[in-house]
Amino acid sequence: MWFRNLSLYRLGGEFESDPVRLHEQLQAQGFQPCGGLDTYREGWTAPLGKHGEQLVHAANGRLMLCLRREERILPAAVVREALDEKVEQIETAEARPVGRKERTKLRDEIVIDLLPRAFTRSQLTFGYIDPAASWIVIDTATPKRAEAFLNLLRESLGSLKVRPLTVNHSPALSMTRWLEGGLPEQFTPGDECELREPVENGAVIRVRRLDLAGEEVRTHLDAGMQVTRLAMEWAERVRCVIGDDLTIRRLRFTDLVMDEAADIAADDAVARFDADFALMAGELSQFIPALTRVFGGIEEG
């Protein structure tokens, strides 16, 4: 259980940290497969998958949840082809053109007919709550998926005070200064960044597998471009790409961490999940505060 992306949210106020109680609150929004004319369904599923039934998995006071989204796959090309055939049949049989309004009605009828027979695909979004540190950490870099997770949690609990992470210093200006003068202690640059002109519809340059301290990047910085994404490593334990929206992409844990995980005895899938979750969350409990500090700390309010 290793996250690949991070969307970070701050909890406001107290949070129910009893996993049994939280499981009970989530049950009403437990996942149910698509039925009838559903285009999609969302609900909570066991983080342990086939190895568990509880909707909450707890480790060291942190609570792992998993949102499952199932949606029907009905390609537009399939609908269009069926519609064209139906229109052709009507125009041939009745010797008249099919107007726009009638085409729209026919299309809706075709969708209703095809939906129950369409294939489905599922997508899992994991996230954990750290009540003691007031964090919700979601494994996605997509705002829409993060909001779906939070909205269902809010619906399950009745209310949820939460807001995206904001910091005191501009991430873009901070990362730009870092490339110009060096990263903060314990952070080292990777070989990737994104540069943007700080104007509407400004130019964007993506740099990969280059020395970020080299002349090419320096030329763009001297021209006034700002860093909006930056690959970095922290304390020889975490690698990632941080964006100016504070979303963390392509999160990787170094061999030092993965070797520690491998040394932990785990007799089955449940024990392995538990050990990995505990180790990952422990690493992030140090990395996230370190990251917020170099951006001037969390903006309160």
Side-chain angles (χ1 to χ4, degrees):
M1 168 34 53
W2 298 93
F3 285 11
R4 299 303 184 192
N5 302 281
L6 302 178
S7 290
L8 304 172
Y9 295 84
R10 294 291 292 165
L11 279 169
E14 296 294 324
F15 186 88
E16 173 60 67
S17 59
D18 179 4
V20 175
R21 171 61 177 155
L22 183 55
H23 167 81
E24 294 172 350
Q25 292 176 300
L26 300 183
Q27 282 184 309
Q29 280 73 41
F31 175 76
Q32 297 293 330
C34 287
L37 299 178
D38 293 329
T39 56
Y40 75 93
R41 283 266 186 99
E42 291 180 333
W44 301 113
T45 192
L48 290 172
K50 65 181 181 179
H51 301 290
E53 297 181 355
Q54 295 297 305
L55 299 178
V56 181
H57 185 81
N60 294 341
R62 302 179 183 100
L63 309 165
M64 179 74 79
L65 312 179
C66 181
L67 171 66
R68 178 175 176 178
R69 177 187 173 93
E70 181 182 83
E71 57 185 342
R72 293 192 185 276
I73 305 171
L74 189 56
V78 173
V79 176
R80 185 166 55 251
E81 182 177 348
L83 176 60
D84 289 343
E85 291 177 0
K86 186 67 173 177
V87 168
E88 184 178 358
Q89 290 173 5
I90 294 173
E91 291 181 339
T92 301
E94 302 180 16
R96 65 176 179 84
V98 174
R100 180 182 299 178
K101 186 175 181 180
E102 187 177 1
R103 286 181 67 94
T104 300
K105 182 179 179 181
L106 289 171
R107 183 189 182 282
D108 292 342
E109 291 173 352
I110 289 168
V111 170
I112 290 173
D113 180 59
L114 293 178
L115 264 179
R117 294 178 282 156
F119 290 107
T120 61
R121 62 182 175 190
S122 291
Q123 183 180 62
L124 301 178
T125 302
F126 288 86
Y128 71 84
I129 304 161
D130 187 342
S134 298
W135 287 109
I136 295 183
V137 181
I138 306 174
D139 183 12
T140 182
T142 306
K144 186 176 179 180
R145 287 180 63 183
E147 285 302 316
F149 186 100
L150 294 173
N151 288 339
L152 191 63
L153 184 57
R154 187 176 291 109
E155 182 180 347
S156 300
L157 302 180
S159 65
L160 179 67
K161 294 181 179 180
V162 64
R163 61 185 180 87
L165 170 64
T166 55
V167 291
N168 288 311
H169 296 166
S170 163
L173 292 178
S174 296
M175 292 189 292
T176 301
R177 287 196 296 267
W178 296 346
L179 280 195
E180 291 172 336
L183 270 68
E185 186 179 359
Q186 289 196 305
F187 286 87
T188 55
D191 61 356
E192 175 183 345
C193 72
E194 178 184 272
L195 304 166
R196 287 179 181 264
E197 287 184 320
V199 295
E200 186 176 358
N201 299 320
V204 179
I205 295 175
R206 294 180 176 90
V207 177
R208 288 192 175 186
R209 293 184 290 276
L210 282 179
D211 178 9
L212 299 188
E215 186 62 29
E216 181 175 345
V217 173
R218 173 68 61 178
T219 298
H220 294 304
L221 294 176
D222 290 343
M225 300 191 80
Q226 294 182 356
V227 180
T228 51
R229 289 190 186 181
L230 178 63
M232 60 174 65
E233 181 178 300
W234 171 75
E236 299 183 343
R237 301 185 71 81
V238 174
R239 297 190 184 102
C240 67
V241 176
I242 178 73
D244 61 351
D245 60 354
L246 299 177
T247 298
I248 295 169
R249 297 169 172 84
R250 298 211 297 281
L251 176 70
R252 296 292 184 272
F253 295 87
T254 66
D255 290 343
L256 288 175
V257 178
M258 301 312 293
D259 288 345
E260 291 177 18
D263 289 340
I264 299 174
D267 298 331
D268 54 32
V270 175
R272 181 77 270 159
F273 184 100
D274 196 61
D276 289 348
F277 173 30
L279 182 57
M280 177 191 73
E283 291 294 326
L284 293 180
S285 72
Q286 300 178 66
F287 168 66
I288 294 172
L291 186 66
T292 61
R293 282 195 296 270
V294 298
F295 285 121
I298 298 170
E299 183 181 49
E300 301 297 342

